[in-house]
Every structure is written in C-alpha cells, then in structure tokens.
Amino acid sequence: MIIFEKQEFLNDSAERTELIEQLLDIGAALSSTQDLRDLLNLILSKSREITSSDAGSVYLVDHTDNTSKLLFKVAQNASQPSLSFNEFAIPMTHQSLAGYVALTGESLNLPDAYDLPQGVPYRLDTNFDRDISYRTRSVMVLPMENRQGDTIGVIQLINRKIKPDAVLTDQNTLELTQPYSEWEQRIVRSLASQAAISIERNQLQDSIEQLFEGFVKASVQVIEARDPCTSGHSERVAALTVRLTEEVNITSTGPLCPLYFNDRQIQEIRYAALLHDFGKVGVPEAILTKQKKLYSEQLDVIRNRFAVAHRTLEMECAQSKFSYLVEHPSARHLADTEEKCPHCQYLQGLDGELAAEVSRLASYWNFLLEANEPHILAEEPLSQLRELSDYSYRDIDGKIKPLVTPEEIAQLMIPRGNLTPDERLAIESHVTHTYEFLKRIPWTKDLKDVPNITYGHHEKLDGSGYPRGLRHIEIPIQAQIMAIGDIYDALTAGDRPYKRGLPTEVALKIMRQEVAQNKISAELLELFEHRQVFTVLGHALEVELEKLA
C-alpha cells in the first residue's frame, strides 16, 4: 500500500513537472510570436495539447463599429484536419456559448453541449456538427481577459479525448471523450489570461504599425500636394524598390547572394522609399514646381519689355519721320509714287529699318522661348544668347535698359535642365531636410534605419553624389537599391512638365551609362533588368510587346 501511494505520488509529481515545463514553453512561445494569426493558432494548439482536446476555436471581441461582435479567427480539428475555416463575425449575445462568456466573463465547462441545464440562455449551434458529420460533446469556453479585466477574446475547447491520439467521428464521440476537469479549467484560464496579454501586445504592435502606415501615407500626400507634377512618384519608387529587394532575396549567385532582407526589413525599406522625398516640403515651392528655365512671372515681365521695345521702335520711327518732314516742308507735297524722290526714299528707308528691327525683335523672342525649354543647349543658341544680352531698348521712363537682364540671361544659358546652380542646391537640400525630419521620429527598433536609408539615395558609388559625397562601401545597400528605382522612375515618368517620359529601353540604356561611370550598382541594375522589375509598374520592353502583338 505504501509502495502504491509512493508510485502514485511520483506519477502525479512527474505529470505536474511536465505541465510546468509545458506552461513555461508556452509562455516563451507566446512572447516570441509576432503574427496575430500565428499567435492565435499557437494559443489554441497549446490549450488543446494540455487538455487533449480534439478541436477548438478562438474568437476576438471587435468594437470597431457601434455593434459589438465576435470575430471567429482560427479553428482546429484533429479528427478532420483537412477542414478549412474562414473568418466570420457573429453577434455578441447571450444566446451563443462564446457570446455568453464574452459578455459575462464567466467560464463554461459543459460535460455535454447537447444536454444543457434547464434555464440557461445559451445554446450550441448544431448546424456546424451536421455540416461536417461531427458530434460535439464536452465543451470548455473561457474568457481571455487583459490586465484591466476586460474580455478581449474567447477560447473554446471541444471534446476532451480519453486517448490523445483518438480520431473522433459522430458515432464514437460519446465513448472516446470525457468532461473537462476543474484543474484543466484553472490551468487553461490562466493560460487564456497570459494569451490575452500577448494578443493585446500584438494588437498594440499592429496599432503602432497602422499609425506609422497612416503617417507615411499622409506624408506622401503632403509631398504630392507641394509638387503635383510628381504625383505617384513615391509610390512607384516604393513598388520598384520592394520588388528589387525581393529579387535580391532569391538571388543564388554573385555578390548579391549573401544578402537577405526579412519582412520587417523590407517594410523598413518600403517606408524609406515612400518618404525619400519628404524633405521637399522645405524647398521653396517656386523652385519645386519650376517648369522651365525662367519662372512664368519672369517670362511675363520679359514679354512686356519686348512689347515696350516694339512700341518704342515704332514711336522712334514716327518721331524721325515727323522731324524730317518738319525740316523738309516740301516733302509733304510729294506723291509717294514719284520716281527718284529723295524724300520718299528716306522715309521708306526709315520704314525698312523699323521692319528690320521689329523682325529682329520677333526673332529674339522666338529664340528666347526656345532657349527657355529645359533641354541641352547647343553652341549656336549660346552665341545667340550672348548677342541678345547686348540688346537694349528705351523704356517708358526714357532710360536705356537691357531687353533681358544678366540674371535672366544666366538662367537661359543653363546648359542642361531648368535649374540654376543655386536652385539645384536648394532641390538637393531636400535629402538633408528629409533626414533631419525623419531622425526626430521615435522609430521602432525594426524601422530605426529609415532615416539613414533615405539619406543615401542620391549618393553615387564614385563619391560624386550628394549630400555627403559617400563612396560605394559607405552607402547602405538599401539606399543603393532605392536609387535604382528612383532613377528609373525619374527617367520614365510622364508626369514631369519639363521633360517627356522615356521608353523603358532608353531609360535602361541611360542607366547602363551610369553603371559605366561607376555611379550606380552594376549588379543591382543587371538584376533589375534581367528580372524585369519594372513590370511592377506595368512597363515592358518593346521586344516583349512585339511578342504579345
């Protein structure tokens, strides 16, 4: 008898030790699981394992609208493992088992869900059993309460099996199952409370991520509101950058092979790509939206000068005619058709000079409009600009003034693009503005490199980039990946007022030239081109389009 009791004690002690070990393992697993669905499946599987439950489900309380409801999130059934379950919502009322527990905070331990005590408000929905030829018998339903005592979900365990490996059918359930014990109820309720904390932590993490996501999207809207001409650029760069990063992950040869970015790191790169131009909010709007070499207000002023100059030429011609006629009264009585009339020839000469000057003025104007376009300036237009810079006119105040000021000539003589050196520095400053702004944000540990990634997307491998002139090894690889997407979109985008979007082949050719000059990564561009990353934007090579035609 003593030996039996000792053996029983040892068996009981071993079971308790095993249970404690299980609970410790569960606690560690709950703390390390990040994905909500994985977390819920873990909670359910461990609860079933401890209690030898054949099936179970987890509900989460949802208060997103005016009607509280329960979301059926995950379900498991060992006897019918091929069953698939879809998420759905049920009203949170006292009529359902899960709803009753969620509303009251009480646990239910039912030996047979088909044989409930008289007077209880809840009922088992037997439709589910009938649909899958199952028999629900013993049921334990427990609330998952957070530290404030609020129920945030419900765990429902079904059919405690006598033998853990038994397979239940609607015919053998009664003989192969048993009611849940009180100690199982206490253990699982404790586990449910621990699970509730993990779920709440996970939901808090989701809320933080949604907060960041909302902030990033709002920031992109701010950028696009400042510069509508580049609307969609940030999203396109993000799409290209993420796709190229994913392609890096599956590269099995070459220098890129050792690189791998997990989901969190890809999210970090995506945020950096979406926010890479945020510093443009600190760039003067006139520079940011400048379409040509001259601002539209400047062109209006110059147009008025040309009009005044034209009018002045006409007035000076008329004044010369009047003065001549005053000095030669007889000329007023001569017919214009009289042959070899010196007076007529003189007056006609004045008209010819006027016509020549007016024509010259019109030529200057047409040339100015052409020079104002942001294309590469050839040598001949440069010489014409120098000639134009010497042209002066008499203003309405009688003073002689340049038709086009030295500052305006300097803008028109921009050899490439539409920005002066000072304006280009102002535009380039957006990188520093972005970094200074983003580094003030208390990023989570997974997103802490967002500022540094954005800081490097305009750097070049040979050190000729900006703002810090970093070289290859100093530039974060994430920034190098983003640079490929940024350059490609800048070349192909058709929403820039100062240039047309280039075909994919032409853009890739230009980018290969950048590689040849050691500006951007050869390996990344080769991967970008070989895997046709640009298809994420709906782009295709002409060769591919011809095949489809």
Side-chain angles (χ1 to χ4, degrees):
M1 184 70 178
I2 298 174
I3 295 174
F4 175 77
E5 288 178 353
K6 184 177 180 182
Q7 185 64 43
E8 186 178 33
F9 173 78
L10 290 175
N11 290 340
D12 186 55
S13 177
E15 288 180 4
R16 290 174 182 271
T17 301
E18 182 181 357
L19 176 61
I20 292 172
E21 291 290 341
Q22 283 183 308
L23 290 174
L24 290 174
D25 290 342
I26 292 171
L30 290 177
S31 299
S32 61
T33 304
Q34 301 295 326
D35 181 77
L36 178 60
R37 182 164 294 277
D38 291 344
L39 178 63
L40 297 179
N41 273 302
L42 176 66
I43 292 167
L44 183 56
S45 63
K46 292 301 182 181
S47 299
R48 288 178 47 240
E49 182 182 336
I50 289 175
T51 58
S52 297
S53 296
D54 185 57
S57 53
V58 175
Y59 299 82
L60 292 184
V61 175
D62 181 67
H63 297 297
T64 54
D65 52 30
N66 294 328
T67 304
S68 296
K69 53 186 176 292
L70 287 173
L71 299 180
F72 181 87
K73 298 295 290 187
V74 296
Q76 298 169 1
N77 190 313
S79 295
Q80 300 191 30
S82 61
L83 281 178
S84 60
F85 301 93
N86 296 319
E87 181 177 319
F88 61 88
I90 63 172
M92 196 160 71
T93 67
H94 289 84
Q95 281 69 52
S96 67
L97 301 182
Y100 178 84
V101 171
L103 288 169
T104 63
E106 299 176 9
S107 300
L108 292 179
N109 191 342
L110 309 174
D112 191 339
Y114 279 69
D115 185 18
L116 297 175
Q118 293 292 326
V120 296
Y122 45 82
R123 289 289 180 272
L124 175 70
D125 184 358
T126 58
N127 291 325
F128 185 76
D129 280 3
R130 185 174 63 252
D131 291 342
I132 66 170
S133 299
Y134 193 71
R135 170 62 160 92
T136 298
R137 188 192 183 195
S138 54
V139 176
M140 185 162 61
V141 192
L142 305 108
M144 293 190 290
E145 297 176 334
N146 61 17
R147 284 167 289 188
Q148 288 74 40
D150 300 322
T151 300
I152 67 168
V154 172
I155 264 188
Q156 181 171 276
L157 299 175
I158 299 171
N159 287 340
R160 182 193 176 205
K161 295 186 286 189
I162 296 173
K163 293 183 177 181
D165 57 349
V167 177
L168 304 184
T169 67
D170 55 351
Q171 303 298 320
N172 64 11
T173 296
L174 295 181
E175 60 183 277
L176 296 181
T177 60
Q178 59 187 330
Y180 289 93
S181 64
E182 289 186 9
W183 76 265
E184 284 175 321
Q185 182 174 331
R186 291 198 303 271
I187 290 296
V188 177
R189 179 142 191 170
S190 174
L191 175 59
S193 296
Q194 187 177 0
I197 294 173
S198 297
I199 292 170
E200 195 170 47
R201 182 207 65 213
N202 185 277
Q203 291 174 333
L204 177 60
Q205 178 67 30
D206 286 344
S207 297
I208 293 172
E209 291 181 2
Q210 290 173 14
L211 176 65
F212 275 123
E213 187 74 23
F215 161 75
V216 170
K217 289 181 178 179
S219 300
V220 171
Q221 287 182 339
V222 170
I223 299 166
E224 294 184 351
R226 291 284 328 273
D227 188 7
C229 296
T230 58
S231 177
H233 171 67
S234 296
E235 287 88 348
R236 293 192 298 269
V237 172
L240 291 166
T241 303
V242 168
R243 174 64 68 85
L244 183 53
T245 304
E246 292 169 345
E247 294 295 345
V248 169
N249 277 353
I250 59 176
T251 300
S252 57
T253 59
L256 299 177
C257 179
L259 296 177
Y260 182 81
F261 301 93
N262 61 35
D263 290 343
R264 294 284 179 176
Q265 290 171 317
I266 291 177
Q267 179 73 307
E268 181 182 58
I269 294 170
R270 174 176 169 267
Y271 281 164
L274 285 170
L275 293 169
H276 76 280
D277 275 345
F278 185 79
K280 287 183 176 179
V281 298
V283 177
E285 188 171 356
I287 297 176
L288 199 60
T289 59
K290 188 181 183 185
Q291 299 183 9
K292 302 183 185 296
K293 295 180 182 180
L294 295 170
Y295 296 102
S296 57
E297 296 84 358
Q298 288 178 296
L299 193 61
D300 288 341
V301 171
I302 296 173
R303 182 184 288 107
N304 288 334
R305 287 200 213 115
F306 269 79
V308 171
H310 189 171
R311 217 51 187 292
T312 299
L313 289 173
E314 291 177 337
M315 290 177 62
E316 288 176 347
C317 179
Q319 183 64 40
S320 297
K321 287 181 179 181
F322 178 76
S323 299
Y324 183 82
L325 292 175
V326 169
E327 294 174 3
H328 304 84
S330 59
R332 284 176 283 176
H333 304 294
L334 298 174
D336 290 341
T337 57
E338 186 174 335
E339 295 182 4
K340 296 182 181 180
C341 170
H343 301 298
C344 297
Q345 291 175 353
Y346 179 79
L347 294 176
Q348 288 171 357
L350 292 176
D351 287 335
E353 291 174 6
L354 173 62
E357 284 299 312
V358 169
S359 176
R360 182 185 178 192
L361 205 59
S363 175
Y364 280 153
W365 176 251
N366 291 331
F367 166 70
L368 185 145
L369 293 178
E370 181 183 352
N372 192 35
E373 296 297 324
H375 48 58
I376 298 175
L377 211 56
E379 186 60 37
E380 182 180 351
L382 282 172
S383 63
Q384 289 179 298
L385 280 174
R386 296 187 188 99
E387 181 182 333
L388 177 58
S389 67
D390 294 331
Y391 192 94
S392 59
Y393 75 106
R394 189 180 300 277
D395 204 351
I396 56 176
D397 59 4
K399 295 181 179 179
I400 301 298
K401 298 178 180 178
L403 186 62
V404 183
T405 67
E407 293 79 11
E408 293 159 349
I409 289 291
Q411 287 176 247
L412 291 169
M413 292 184 74
I414 295 171
R416 184 171 185 168
N418 67 327
L419 299 175
T420 66
D422 287 342
E423 290 167 343
R424 187 163 297 281
L425 286 175
I427 287 288
E428 291 177 357
S429 71
H430 83 273
V431 179
T432 301
H433 291 323
T434 298
Y435 174 73
E436 292 296 334
F437 171 76
L438 294 180
K439 76 175 185 179
R440 294 178 180 273
I441 296 171
W443 298 98
T444 61
K445 183 180 179 180
D446 294 329
L447 302 173
K448 62 182 175 59
D449 286 333
V450 167
N452 283 326
I453 296 171
T454 62
Y455 207 14
H457 77 279
H458 274 297
E459 301 290 351
K460 303 294 184 184
L461 303 187
D462 63 353
S464 63
Y466 62 88
R468 293 175 290 169
L470 301 181
R471 291 186 173 273
H472 189 170
I473 196 171
E474 301 170 304
I475 306 171
I477 186 62
Q478 300 96 318
Q480 296 183 42
I481 294 173
M482 192 200 307
I484 299 292
D486 191 33
I487 294 171
Y488 176 82
D489 188 67
L491 291 171
T492 58
D495 52 12
R496 307 296 171 95
Y498 49 83
K499 72 169 189 64
R500 294 179 180 178
L502 300 176
T504 297
E505 293 85 351
V506 178
L508 292 174
K509 181 179 179 181
I510 293 173
M511 294 176 75
R512 288 188 214 108
Q513 293 171 355
E514 290 281 286
V515 166
Q517 297 172 15
N518 195 30
K519 304 294 184 183
I520 58 178
S521 168
E523 294 80 16
L524 288 173
L525 180 60
E526 181 182 358
L527 184 65
F528 182 89
E529 186 172 357
H530 178 67
R531 300 286 177 83
Q532 298 195 7
V533 171
F534 44 80
T535 57
V536 74
L537 302 183
H539 296 183
L541 296 170
E542 288 294 333
V543 176
E544 298 297 326
L545 293 175
E546 289 174 3
K547 289 180 181 179
L548 294 173

